[in-house]
Amino acid sequence: MTISLSHVHVLVDDPDAALAFYRDTLGLEVRNEIENDGFRWITLSTADQPEIEIVLSQPHAGVSKEDGDARAALLAKGELPGVLFRTDDLDGTFEKVRAVGNAEILQEPTDQFWGVRDAAFRDPAGNMVRISQA
């Protein structure tokens, strides 16, 4: 039996701002975009791993109002799990994110004691995004 990662969901309150960050700043490619009941799901992936897709979705999409409100509250507080990327040029990626200015910089590229060099941001929705050097 083989199991592999297929999709990862990232909640966003503004799909257009999230798209500008993940597509235009980080360089992910849009694979699919669907609208339903006033909500959007945008699926992106990297050129090197097209089989792993990141789905940007809104907190109230596909759930009850109560659950959507709870998700939105956690998103607003920055309390949802983040997403981690790997790049072969951390400094270049960091400078691009800084130059575009659509993410809050939390940590400049740093050598971590556990052996990785990484940087940290908050995307336009407040999600933690860490990028490490491959």
Side-chain angles (χ1 to χ4, degrees):
M1 176 171 69
T2 301
I3 297 177
S4 60
L5 184 61
S6 171
H7 294 76
V8 174
H9 283 262
V10 176
L11 291 178
V12 299
D13 51 2
D14 182 341
D16 292 321
L19 192 56
F21 177 72
Y22 288 97
R23 180 193 60 200
D24 303 336
T25 303
L26 295 184
L28 277 65
E29 300 171 0
V30 175
R31 300 291 180 204
N32 199 4
E33 185 169 344
I34 297 171
E35 289 190 40
N36 187 24
D37 288 333
F39 299 107
R40 290 167 61 196
W41 288 267
I42 304 167
T43 306
L44 306 104
S45 64
T46 65
D48 291 341
Q49 292 179 305
E51 70 282 4
I52 300 174
E53 297 178 332
I54 294 174
V55 181
L56 305 178
S57 59
Q58 294 163 278
H60 288 87
V63 298
S64 69
K65 178 172 178 3
E66 295 78 19
D67 288 347
D69 289 348
R71 287 174 165 183
L74 290 171
L75 179 62
K77 290 171 51 175
E79 293 296 326
L80 295 174
V83 61
L84 287 77
F85 292 99
R86 191 172 317 142
T87 182
D88 59 359
D89 181 8
L90 179 61
D91 293 316
T93 302
F94 177 83
E95 289 307 323
K96 182 176 182 182
V97 172
R98 183 198 314 256
V100 172
N102 60 356
E104 177 188 356
I105 296 172
L106 299 176
Q107 174 201 303
E108 295 195 10
T110 302
D111 293 325
Q112 302 292 354
F113 70 89
W114 57 87
V116 73
R117 179 172 166 77
D118 71 354
F121 311 92
R122 288 216 183 271
D123 74 6
N127 294 297
M128 171 77 74
V129 176
R130 296 191 79 84
I131 303 175
S132 67
Q133 180 82 37

